[in-house]
Coordinates of all heavy atoms in Angstrom, one line a residue:
M344 N -3.1 -3.3 -16.0 CA -2.2 -2.5 -16.8 C -1.1 -3.4 -17.4 O -0.6 -4.3 -16.7 CB -1.6 -1.4 -15.8 CG -0.7 -0.4 -16.5 SD -0.1 1.0 -15.5 CE -0.8 0.9 -13.9
N345 N -0.8 -3.2 -18.6 CA 0.2 -4.0 -19.2 C 1.6 -3.4 -19.0 O 1.8 -2.2 -18.8 CB 0.0 -4.0 -20.8 CG -1.3 -4.7 -21.1 OD1 -1.7 -5.6 -20.5 ND2 -2.0 -4.2 -22.1
P346 N 2.7 -4.2 -19.0 CA 4.0 -3.7 -18.7 C 4.5 -2.6 -19.7 O 5.3 -1.8 -19.3 CB 4.9 -5.0 -18.9 CG 4.0 -6.1 -18.7 CD 2.6 -5.7 -19.1
D347 N 3.9 -2.6 -20.9 CA 4.3 -1.5 -21.9 C 3.4 -0.3 -21.8 O 3.6 0.7 -22.5 CB 4.3 -2.1 -23.3 CG 2.9 -2.6 -23.7 OD1 2.1 -2.8 -22.8 OD2 2.8 -2.9 -24.9
D348 N 2.5 -0.3 -20.8 CA 1.6 0.9 -20.6 C 2.5 2.1 -20.1 O 3.3 1.9 -19.2 CB 0.6 0.5 -19.6 CG -0.5 1.6 -19.4 OD1 -0.2 2.8 -19.3 OD2 -1.7 1.2 -19.5
P349 N 2.4 3.3 -20.7 CA 3.2 4.4 -20.2 C 2.9 4.8 -18.8 O 3.8 5.4 -18.1 CB 2.8 5.5 -21.2 CG 1.6 5.1 -22.0 CD 1.5 3.6 -21.8
R350 N 1.8 4.4 -18.2 CA 1.5 4.7 -16.8 C 2.4 3.8 -15.9 O 2.5 4.2 -14.7 CB 0.0 4.4 -16.5 CG -0.9 5.4 -17.2 CD -2.3 5.0 -16.9 NE -2.6 3.7 -17.5 CZ -3.7 3.0 -17.3 NH1 -4.7 3.4 -16.5 NH2 -3.8 1.8 -17.9
M351 N 3.1 2.8 -16.4 CA 4.0 2.0 -15.6 C 5.1 2.9 -15.1 O 5.8 2.5 -14.1 CB 4.5 0.8 -16.4 CG 3.5 -0.3 -16.5 SD 3.0 -1.0 -15.0 CE 4.5 -2.0 -14.6
D352 N 5.4 4.0 -15.7 CA 6.4 5.0 -15.2 C 6.1 5.5 -13.8 O 7.0 5.9 -13.1 CB 6.6 6.1 -16.2 CG 7.2 5.7 -17.5 OD1 7.8 4.6 -17.6 OD2 7.0 6.5 -18.5
N353 N 4.8 5.5 -13.5 CA 4.4 5.9 -12.2 C 4.5 4.8 -11.1 O 4.3 5.1 -9.9 CB 2.9 6.4 -12.2 CG 2.7 7.6 -13.1 OD1 3.6 8.4 -13.2 ND2 1.6 7.7 -13.7
V354 N 4.8 3.6 -11.5 CA 4.9 2.5 -10.6 C 6.3 2.3 -10.1 O 7.2 1.9 -10.9 CB 4.4 1.2 -11.2 CG1 4.5 0.0 -10.3 CG2 2.9 1.4 -11.7
E355 N 6.6 2.7 -8.9 CA 8.0 2.7 -8.4 C 8.3 1.3 -7.7 O 9.4 0.9 -7.5 CB 8.2 3.8 -7.4 CG 8.1 5.2 -8.0 CD 8.2 6.3 -7.1 OE1 8.7 6.1 -6.0 OE2 7.8 7.4 -7.4
C356 N 7.2 0.7 -7.2 CA 7.4 -0.6 -6.5 C 7.7 -1.7 -7.4 O 6.9 -2.1 -8.3 CB 6.1 -0.8 -5.7 SG 6.0 -2.4 -4.8
D357 N 8.8 -2.4 -7.2 CA 9.2 -3.5 -8.0 C 8.2 -4.7 -7.9 O 7.9 -5.3 -8.9 CB 10.6 -4.0 -7.6 CG 11.7 -3.0 -7.9 OD1 11.5 -2.2 -8.9 OD2 12.8 -3.1 -7.3
L358 N 7.7 -4.9 -6.7 CA 6.7 -6.0 -6.6 C 5.4 -5.7 -7.4 O 4.9 -6.6 -8.0 CB 6.4 -6.2 -5.1 CG 5.4 -7.3 -4.7 CD1 6.0 -8.7 -5.2 CD2 5.2 -7.4 -3.2
A359 N 5.0 -4.5 -7.3 CA 3.8 -4.1 -8.1 C 4.1 -4.2 -9.6 O 3.2 -4.7 -10.4 CB 3.3 -2.7 -7.8
Q360 N 5.3 -3.8 -10.1 CA 5.6 -4.0 -11.5 C 5.6 -5.4 -11.9 O 5.0 -5.8 -12.9 CB 7.0 -3.4 -11.7 CG 7.1 -1.9 -11.7 CD 8.5 -1.3 -11.9 OE1 9.4 -2.1 -11.9 NE2 8.6 0.0 -12.0
T361 N 6.1 -6.3 -11.1 CA 6.1 -7.7 -11.3 C 4.7 -8.3 -11.3 O 4.4 -9.1 -12.2 CB 7.0 -8.5 -10.3 OG1 8.3 -7.9 -10.3 CG2 7.0 -10.0 -10.6
S362 N 3.9 -7.8 -10.4 CA 2.5 -8.3 -10.3 C 1.7 -7.9 -11.6 O 1.0 -8.7 -12.1 CB 1.8 -7.7 -9.1 OG 2.5 -8.2 -7.9
Y363 N 1.9 -6.6 -12.0 CA 1.3 -6.2 -13.2 C 1.7 -7.0 -14.4 O 0.9 -7.4 -15.3 CB 1.5 -4.7 -13.5 CG 0.7 -3.7 -12.8 CD1 1.2 -2.8 -11.9 CD2 -0.7 -3.7 -12.9 CE1 0.4 -1.9 -11.3 CE2 -1.5 -2.8 -12.3 CZ -0.9 -1.9 -11.4 OH -1.7 -1.0 -10.8
A364 N 3.0 -7.3 -14.5 CA 3.6 -8.1 -15.6 C 3.0 -9.5 -15.6 O 3.0 -10.1 -16.7 CB 5.1 -8.1 -15.5
H365 N 2.6 -10.0 -14.5 CA 2.1 -11.3 -14.4 C 0.5 -11.3 -14.5 O -0.1 -12.3 -14.1 CB 2.5 -12.1 -13.1 CG 3.9 -12.5 -13.2 ND1 5.0 -11.8 -12.8 CD2 4.5 -13.6 -13.8 CE1 6.1 -12.4 -13.0 NE2 5.8 -13.5 -13.7
G366 N -0.1 -10.2 -14.9 CA -1.5 -10.2 -15.2 C -2.4 -9.8 -14.0 O -3.6 -9.8 -14.2
Q367 N -1.8 -9.4 -12.9 CA -2.7 -8.9 -11.8 C -3.2 -7.5 -12.1 O -2.5 -6.7 -12.7 CB -2.0 -9.0 -10.5 CG -1.8 -10.4 -10.0 CD -1.2 -10.5 -8.6 OE1 -0.3 -9.7 -8.3 NE2 -1.8 -11.4 -7.8
N368 N -4.3 -7.2 -11.6 CA -4.8 -5.8 -11.8 C -4.6 -5.0 -10.5 O -4.1 -5.5 -9.5 CB -6.3 -5.8 -12.2 CG -7.2 -6.3 -11.1 OD1 -7.1 -6.1 -9.9 ND2 -8.2 -7.1 -11.5
G369 N -4.8 -3.7 -10.6 CA -4.5 -2.8 -9.5 C -5.2 -3.1 -8.2 O -4.7 -3.0 -7.1
L370 N -6.5 -3.6 -8.3 CA -7.2 -4.0 -7.1 C -6.6 -5.2 -6.4 O -6.5 -5.2 -5.2 CB -8.7 -4.2 -7.4 CG -9.5 -3.0 -7.7 CD1 -10.9 -3.4 -8.1 CD2 -9.5 -2.0 -6.6
Q371 N -6.2 -6.2 -7.2 CA -5.5 -7.3 -6.6 C -4.2 -7.0 -5.9 O -3.9 -7.5 -4.8 CB -5.3 -8.4 -7.7 CG -6.5 -9.0 -8.3 CD -6.3 -9.8 -9.5 OE1 -5.5 -9.4 -10.4 NE2 -6.9 -11.0 -9.6
I372 N -3.5 -6.1 -6.6 CA -2.2 -5.6 -6.0 C -2.4 -4.9 -4.7 O -1.8 -5.1 -3.7 CB -1.4 -4.8 -7.0 CG1 -1.0 -5.7 -8.2 CG2 -0.1 -4.2 -6.4 CD1 -0.5 -5.0 -9.4
A373 N -3.4 -4.0 -4.7 CA -3.7 -3.2 -3.5 C -4.2 -4.1 -2.4 O -3.7 -3.9 -1.2 CB -4.8 -2.2 -3.9
E374 N -4.9 -5.1 -2.7 CA -5.4 -6.0 -1.7 C -4.2 -6.7 -1.0 O -4.1 -6.9 0.2 CB -6.3 -7.1 -2.3 CG -6.9 -8.1 -1.3 CD -7.8 -9.1 -1.9 OE1 -8.8 -8.7 -2.5 OE2 -7.5 -10.3 -1.8
Q375 N -3.2 -7.1 -1.9 CA -2.0 -7.8 -1.4 C -1.2 -6.9 -0.5 O -0.7 -7.2 0.6 CB -1.1 -8.3 -2.5 CG -1.7 -9.4 -3.3 CD -0.9 -9.8 -4.5 OE1 0.0 -9.1 -4.9 NE2 -1.3 -10.9 -5.2
I376 N -1.1 -5.6 -0.9 CA -0.3 -4.6 -0.2 C -1.0 -4.4 1.2 O -0.3 -4.4 2.2 CB -0.2 -3.3 -0.9 CG1 0.8 -3.5 -2.1 CG2 0.3 -2.2 0.0 CD1 0.8 -2.3 -3.1
I377 N -2.3 -4.2 1.2 CA -3.0 -3.9 2.4 C -3.0 -5.1 3.4 O -2.7 -4.9 4.6 CB -4.4 -3.4 2.1 CG1 -4.4 -2.1 1.4 CG2 -5.3 -3.3 3.4 CD1 -5.7 -1.7 0.7
T378 N -3.2 -6.3 2.8 CA -3.2 -7.5 3.6 C -1.8 -7.7 4.3 O -1.7 -8.0 5.5 CB -3.6 -8.7 2.8 OG1 -4.9 -8.5 2.2 CG2 -3.5 -10.0 3.6
T379 N -0.8 -7.5 3.5 CA 0.6 -7.7 4.0 C 0.9 -6.7 5.1 O 1.5 -7.0 6.1 CB 1.6 -7.6 2.9 OG1 1.3 -8.5 1.9 CG2 3.0 -7.8 3.4
R380 N 0.5 -5.4 4.9 CA 0.8 -4.4 5.9 C 0.0 -4.6 7.2 O 0.6 -4.4 8.3 CB 0.6 -3.0 5.4 CG 1.6 -2.6 4.3 CD 2.9 -2.4 5.0 NE 3.9 -2.0 4.1 CZ 5.1 -1.6 4.4 NH1 5.5 -1.6 5.7 NH2 6.0 -1.3 3.5
I381 N -1.2 -5.1 7.1 CA -2.0 -5.4 8.3 C -1.4 -6.6 9.0 O -1.2 -6.6 10.2 CB -3.5 -5.6 7.9 CG1 -4.1 -4.3 7.5 CG2 -4.2 -6.2 9.1 CD1 -5.5 -4.4 6.9
W382 N -1.0 -7.6 8.3 CA -0.4 -8.8 8.8 C 0.9 -8.4 9.6 O 1.1 -8.8 10.7 CB -0.1 -9.8 7.7 CG 0.6 -11.0 8.2 CD1 0.0 -12.2 8.6 CD2 2.0 -11.2 8.3 NE1 1.0 -13.1 8.9 CE2 2.2 -12.5 8.7 CE3 3.1 -10.5 8.0 CZ2 3.5 -13.1 8.9 CZ3 4.4 -11.0 8.2 CH2 4.5 -12.3 8.7
A383 N 1.7 -7.5 9.0 CA 2.9 -7.1 9.6 C 2.7 -6.3 10.9 O 3.3 -6.6 11.9 CB 3.7 -6.2 8.6
L384 N 1.7 -5.4 10.9 CA 1.3 -4.7 12.1 C 0.9 -5.6 13.2 O 1.4 -5.5 14.3 CB 0.2 -3.7 11.8 CG -0.3 -2.9 13.0 CD1 0.8 -2.0 13.6 CD2 -1.5 -2.1 12.6
L385 N 0.1 -6.6 12.9 CA -0.4 -7.5 13.9 C 0.7 -8.3 14.5 O 0.8 -8.5 15.7 CB -1.5 -8.4 13.4 CG -2.8 -7.7 12.9 CD1 -3.7 -8.7 12.3 CD2 -3.5 -7.1 14.1
H386 N 1.6 -8.8 13.7 CA 2.7 -9.6 14.1 C 3.8 -8.7 14.9 O 4.3 -9.2 15.9 CB 3.4 -10.3 13.0 CG 2.6 -11.5 12.6 ND1 2.6 -12.7 13.2 CD2 1.6 -11.6 11.6 CE1 1.8 -13.6 12.7 NE2 1.2 -12.9 11.7
V387 N 4.0 -7.5 14.5 CA 4.9 -6.6 15.2 C 4.3 -6.4 16.6 O 5.0 -6.5 17.6 CB 5.1 -5.3 14.5 CG1 5.8 -4.3 15.4 CG2 6.0 -5.6 13.2
R388 N 3.0 -6.1 16.7 CA 2.4 -5.8 18.0 C 2.4 -7.0 18.9 O 2.7 -6.9 20.1 CB 1.0 -5.3 17.8 CG 0.9 -3.9 17.3 CD -0.5 -3.5 17.2 NE -0.6 -2.0 17.2 CZ -1.8 -1.4 17.2 NH1 -2.9 -2.1 17.2 NH2 -1.8 -0.1 17.1
A389 N 2.1 -8.2 18.3 CA 2.2 -9.4 19.1 C 3.6 -9.7 19.6 O 3.8 -10.1 20.8 CB 1.6 -10.6 18.3
G390 N 4.6 -9.5 18.7 CA 6.0 -9.7 19.1 C 6.4 -8.7 20.2 O 7.1 -9.1 21.1
R391 N 6.0 -7.5 20.0 CA 6.4 -6.5 21.0 C 5.7 -6.6 22.3 O 6.2 -6.1 23.3 CB 6.2 -5.1 20.4 CG 7.3 -4.8 19.3 CD 7.2 -3.4 18.8 NE 8.2 -3.2 17.8 CZ 8.3 -2.1 17.0 NH1 7.4 -1.1 17.2 NH2 9.2 -2.0 16.1
A392 N 4.6 -7.3 22.4 CA 3.9 -7.6 23.6 C 4.7 -8.5 24.5 O 4.7 -8.5 25.7 CB 2.5 -8.1 23.4
Q393 N 5.4 -9.4 23.8 CA 6.3 -10.4 24.5 C 7.7 -9.8 24.7 O 8.3 -10.1 25.7 CB 6.4 -11.7 23.6 CG 5.1 -12.3 23.3 CD 4.5 -12.9 24.6 OE1 5.1 -13.4 25.4 NE2 3.2 -12.7 24.7
D394 N 8.2 -9.0 23.8 CA 9.5 -8.4 23.8 C 9.5 -7.0 23.2 O 9.4 -6.9 22.0 CB 10.5 -9.3 23.1 CG 11.9 -8.7 23.1 OD1 12.2 -7.7 23.7 OD2 12.8 -9.3 22.4
P395 N 9.5 -6.0 24.0 CA 9.4 -4.6 23.5 C 10.5 -4.3 22.4 O 10.3 -3.3 21.6 CB 9.6 -3.7 24.7 CG 9.2 -4.6 25.9 CD 9.6 -6.0 25.5
D396 N 11.6 -5.0 22.4 CA 12.6 -4.8 21.4 C 12.5 -5.6 20.1 O 13.3 -5.5 19.2 CB 14.0 -5.0 22.0 CG 14.3 -4.1 23.2 OD1 13.9 -2.9 23.1 OD2 14.9 -4.5 24.1
A397 N 11.4 -6.3 20.0 CA 11.2 -7.2 18.8 C 10.9 -6.3 17.6 O 10.4 -5.2 17.6 CB 10.0 -8.1 19.0
F398 N 11.3 -6.8 16.4 CA 11.1 -6.2 15.1 C 11.6 -4.7 15.0 O 10.9 -3.8 14.7 CB 9.6 -6.2 14.7 CG 9.0 -7.6 14.6 CD1 8.2 -8.0 15.7 CD2 9.3 -8.4 13.6 CE1 7.7 -9.3 15.6 CE2 8.7 -9.7 13.5 CZ 7.9 -10.1 14.5
P399 N 12.9 -4.6 15.3 CA 13.4 -3.2 15.3 C 13.4 -2.6 13.9 O 13.3 -1.3 13.8 CB 14.9 -3.3 15.8 CG 15.2 -4.8 15.6 CD 13.9 -5.5 15.7
A400 N 13.5 -3.4 12.9 CA 13.5 -2.8 11.5 C 12.1 -2.2 11.2 O 12.0 -1.4 10.2 CB 13.8 -3.9 10.5
Y401 N 11.0 -2.6 11.9 CA 9.7 -2.0 11.6 C 9.7 -0.5 12.0 O 8.9 0.2 11.4 CB 8.6 -2.8 12.3 CG 7.2 -2.4 12.0 CD1 6.6 -3.0 10.8 CD2 6.5 -1.5 12.7 CE1 5.3 -2.6 10.5 CE2 5.2 -1.2 12.4 CZ 4.6 -1.8 11.2 OH 3.3 -1.4 10.9
G402 N 10.5 -0.1 12.9 CA 10.5 1.2 13.4 C 9.7 1.3 14.7 O 9.1 0.3 15.1
P403 N 9.9 2.4 15.4 CA 9.3 2.5 16.7 C 7.8 2.6 16.8 O 7.2 2.3 17.8 CB 10.0 3.8 17.3 CG 10.3 4.6 16.1 CD 10.6 3.6 15.0
D404 N 7.2 3.1 15.7 CA 5.7 3.4 15.8 C 5.0 2.2 15.2 O 5.0 2.0 14.0 CB 5.4 4.7 15.0 CG 4.0 5.2 15.2 OD1 3.2 4.5 15.8 OD2 3.7 6.3 14.8
A405 N 4.2 1.5 16.0 CA 3.4 0.4 15.5 C 1.9 0.8 15.8 O 1.1 0.0 16.1 CB 3.7 -0.9 16.3
S406 N 1.6 2.1 15.5 CA 0.2 2.5 15.7 C -0.6 2.3 14.4 O 0.0 2.1 13.3 CB 0.2 4.0 16.0 OG 0.6 4.8 14.9
E407 N -1.9 2.4 14.5 CA -2.8 2.2 13.4 C -2.5 3.3 12.4 O -2.5 3.1 11.1 CB -4.3 2.2 13.8 CG -4.7 1.0 14.6 CD -4.6 1.3 16.1 OE1 -4.0 2.3 16.5 OE2 -5.0 0.4 16.8
A408 N -2.3 4.6 12.9 CA -2.1 5.7 12.0 C -0.8 5.5 11.2 O -0.8 5.8 10.0 CB -2.0 7.0 12.8
C409 N 0.2 5.0 11.8 CA 1.5 4.8 11.1 C 1.3 3.7 10.1 O 1.8 3.8 8.9 CB 2.6 4.5 12.1 SG 4.2 4.2 11.3
A410 N 0.6 2.7 10.4 CA 0.3 1.6 9.5 C -0.5 2.1 8.3 O -0.2 1.8 7.1 CB -0.4 0.4 10.1
A411 N -1.4 3.0 8.5 CA -2.2 3.6 7.4 C -1.3 4.4 6.5 O -1.5 4.3 5.3 CB -3.4 4.4 8.0
R412 N -0.4 5.2 7.1 CA 0.5 6.0 6.3 C 1.4 5.0 5.4 O 1.7 5.3 4.3 CB 1.3 6.9 7.1 CG 0.6 8.0 7.7 CD 1.4 9.1 8.4 NE 2.2 8.5 9.5 CZ 1.8 8.5 10.8 NH1 0.6 8.9 11.1 NH2 2.6 8.0 11.7
R413 N 1.8 3.9 6.0 CA 2.7 3.0 5.3 C 1.9 2.4 4.1 O 2.4 2.2 3.0 CB 3.2 1.9 6.2 CG 4.2 2.3 7.2 CD 4.5 1.2 8.2 NE 5.3 1.7 9.3 CZ 6.5 1.2 9.5 NH1 7.0 0.2 8.8 NH2 7.3 1.6 10.5
I414 N 0.6 2.1 4.4 CA -0.2 1.5 3.3 C -0.4 2.5 2.2 O -0.3 2.2 1.0 CB -1.6 1.0 3.9 CG1 -1.4 -0.2 4.7 CG2 -2.6 0.8 2.8 CD1 -2.6 -0.6 5.6
V415 N -0.7 3.8 2.5 CA -0.9 4.8 1.5 C 0.4 5.0 0.7 O 0.4 5.0 -0.5 CB -1.4 6.1 2.1 CG1 -1.3 7.3 1.1 CG2 -2.8 6.0 2.7
A416 N 1.5 5.0 1.4 CA 2.8 5.1 0.7 C 3.0 4.0 -0.3 O 3.5 4.2 -1.4 CB 3.9 5.2 1.7
C417 N 2.7 2.7 0.1 CA 2.9 1.6 -0.7 C 2.0 1.6 -1.9 O 2.4 1.3 -3.1 CB 2.6 0.3 0.0 SG 3.9 -0.2 1.2
L418 N 0.7 2.1 -1.7 CA -0.2 2.2 -2.8 C 0.3 3.3 -3.8 O 0.2 3.1 -5.1 CB -1.6 2.5 -2.3 CG -2.3 1.4 -1.6 CD1 -3.6 1.9 -1.0 CD2 -2.5 0.2 -2.4
I419 N 0.8 4.4 -3.4 CA 1.3 5.4 -4.3 C 2.5 4.8 -5.0 O 2.6 5.0 -6.2 CB 1.7 6.7 -3.5 CG1 0.4 7.4 -3.0 CG2 2.5 7.6 -4.3 CD1 0.6 8.5 -2.1
D420 N 3.4 4.1 -4.3 CA 4.5 3.5 -5.0 C 4.1 2.5 -6.1 O 4.8 2.2 -7.1 CB 5.5 2.8 -4.0 CG 6.3 3.8 -3.2 OD1 6.3 5.0 -3.6 OD2 6.9 3.3 -2.2
A421 N 2.9 1.9 -5.9 CA 2.3 0.9 -6.8 C 1.6 1.6 -8.0 O 1.0 0.9 -8.8 CB 1.4 -0.1 -6.1
G422 N 1.6 2.9 -8.0 CA 1.0 3.6 -9.1 C -0.4 4.2 -8.8 O -1.0 4.9 -9.6
W423 N -0.9 4.0 -7.6 CA -2.2 4.6 -7.3 C -2.0 6.1 -7.0 O -1.0 6.5 -6.6 CB -2.8 3.9 -6.0 CG -3.3 2.6 -6.2 CD1 -2.6 1.4 -6.5 CD2 -4.7 2.2 -6.2 NE1 -3.4 0.4 -6.6 CE2 -4.7 0.8 -6.4 CE3 -5.9 2.8 -5.9 CZ2 -5.9 0.1 -6.4 CZ3 -7.0 2.1 -5.9 CH2 -7.1 0.8 -6.2
R424 N -3.0 6.8 -7.3 CA -3.0 8.3 -7.1 C -4.2 8.7 -6.4 O -5.3 8.2 -6.7 CB -2.8 9.0 -8.5 CG -1.5 8.8 -9.2 CD -0.3 9.3 -8.3 NE 1.0 9.0 -8.9 CZ 1.7 8.0 -8.4 NH1 1.4 7.2 -7.5 NH2 2.9 7.8 -8.9
P425 N -4.1 9.7 -5.5 CA -5.3 10.3 -4.9 C -6.2 10.9 -5.9 O -5.7 11.4 -7.0 CB -4.8 11.3 -3.9 CG -3.3 11.3 -4.0 CD -2.9 10.4 -5.1
P426 N -7.5 11.0 -5.7 CA -8.4 11.7 -6.6 C -8.0 13.2 -6.7 O -7.5 13.8 -5.8 CB -9.8 11.5 -6.0 CG -9.6 11.2 -4.6 CD -8.2 10.6 -4.5
D427 N -8.2 13.7 -7.9 CA -7.9 15.2 -8.1 C -9.0 16.0 -7.3 O -10.0 15.5 -6.9 CB -7.9 15.6 -9.6 CG -9.2 15.3 -10.3 OD1 -10.3 15.7 -9.7 OD2 -9.2 14.7 -11.4
T428 N -8.6 17.2 -7.1 CA -9.5 18.1 -6.2 C -10.8 18.4 -6.9 O -11.8 18.6 -6.2 CB -8.8 19.4 -5.9 OG1 -8.3 20.0 -7.1 CG2 -7.6 19.2 -5.0
E429 N -10.8 18.4 -8.2 CA -12.1 18.6 -8.9 C -13.1 17.5 -8.6 O -14.2 17.7 -8.4 CB -11.9 18.7 -10.4 CG -11.2 20.0 -10.9 CD -11.0 20.0 -12.4 OE1 -11.7 19.4 -13.1 OE2 -10.0 20.7 -12.8
C430 N -12.6 16.3 -8.5 CA -13.4 15.2 -8.2 C -14.0 15.3 -6.8 O -15.2 15.0 -6.6 CB -12.6 13.9 -8.3 SG -13.5 12.4 -7.9
L431 N -13.2 15.8 -5.9 CA -13.7 15.9 -4.5 C -14.7 17.1 -4.4 O -15.4 17.1 -3.4 CB -12.5 16.2 -3.6 CG -11.4 15.1 -3.6 CD1 -10.2 15.5 -2.7 CD2 -12.0 13.8 -3.0
N432 N -14.7 18.0 -5.3 CA -15.7 19.1 -5.2 C -16.9 18.9 -6.0 O -17.8 19.8 -6.1 CB -15.0 20.4 -5.6 CG -13.9 20.8 -4.7 OD1 -14.0 20.6 -3.5 ND2 -12.8 21.4 -5.2
L433 N -17.1 17.8 -6.6 CA -18.3 17.5 -7.4 C -19.6 17.5 -6.5 O -19.5 17.1 -5.3 CB -18.2 16.2 -8.1 CG -17.2 16.1 -9.2 CD1 -17.2 14.7 -9.8 CD2 -17.6 17.1 -10.4
P434 N -20.7 18.0 -7.0 CA -21.9 18.0 -6.2 C -22.3 16.5 -5.9 O -22.0 15.6 -6.7 CB -23.0 18.6 -7.1 CG -22.3 18.9 -8.4 CD -20.9 18.5 -8.3
T435 N -23.0 16.4 -4.8 CA -23.3 15.0 -4.3 C -24.6 14.5 -4.9 O -25.0 13.4 -4.7 CB -23.4 15.0 -2.8 OG1 -24.4 15.9 -2.4 CG2 -22.1 15.3 -2.1
G436 N -25.4 15.4 -5.6 CA -26.6 15.0 -6.2 C -27.8 15.1 -5.3 O -28.9 14.7 -5.6
D437 N -27.6 15.8 -4.1 CA -28.8 16.0 -3.2 C -29.7 17.0 -3.7 O -29.4 18.0 -4.3 CB -28.2 16.4 -1.8 CG -27.5 15.3 -1.2 OD1 -27.7 14.1 -1.5 OD2 -26.6 15.6 -0.3

């Protein structure tokens, strides 16, 4: 997506906007977001195994489900959108 694309209005994440402006595509940006969030979760858990009070800014919930919600939120902020319901109701071809 180019910086002058009207869909950029859907991109709330400054990092994603900068990444698009530097020529990265949505899949590359999503990969970076997901990798960073998984890395953060692993480091928070490792840190809290040594000190339960470590990484207080991460929040109290370091579960996989919470990390998944954070990833989805970041992807939405980066301009990704869930498929529409019509797409989900298409026949499977069986």
Side-chain angles (χ1 to χ4, degrees):
M344 188 173 354
N345 296 324
D347 59 346
D348 190 310
R350 294 175 295 170
M351 285 297 287
D352 292 341
N353 294 329
V354 180
E355 297 177 19
C356 175
D357 292 334
L358 182 59
Q360 288 176 353
T361 301
S362 296
Y363 278 122
H365 285 94
Q367 290 189 314
N368 65 42
L370 290 176
Q371 291 169 318
I372 295 167
E374 182 180 302
Q375 290 173 354
I376 289 170
I377 293 166
T378 300
T379 302
R380 288 295 178 169
I381 291 171
W382 179 89
L384 174 65
L385 294 174
H386 284 277
V387 166
R388 285 183 163 183
R391 288 183 180 176
Q393 301 297 318
D394 175 7
D396 295 326
F398 300 103
Y401 188 82
D404 191 351
S406 68
E407 294 90 351
C409 183
R412 289 189 300 273
R413 289 172 188 241
I414 289 169
V415 169
C417 287
L418 292 174
I419 289 171
D420 286 348
W423 286 70
R424 294 294 174 260
D427 59 48
T428 55
E429 290 179 23
C430 175
L431 297 175
N432 292 328
L433 291 176
T435 59
D437 295 335

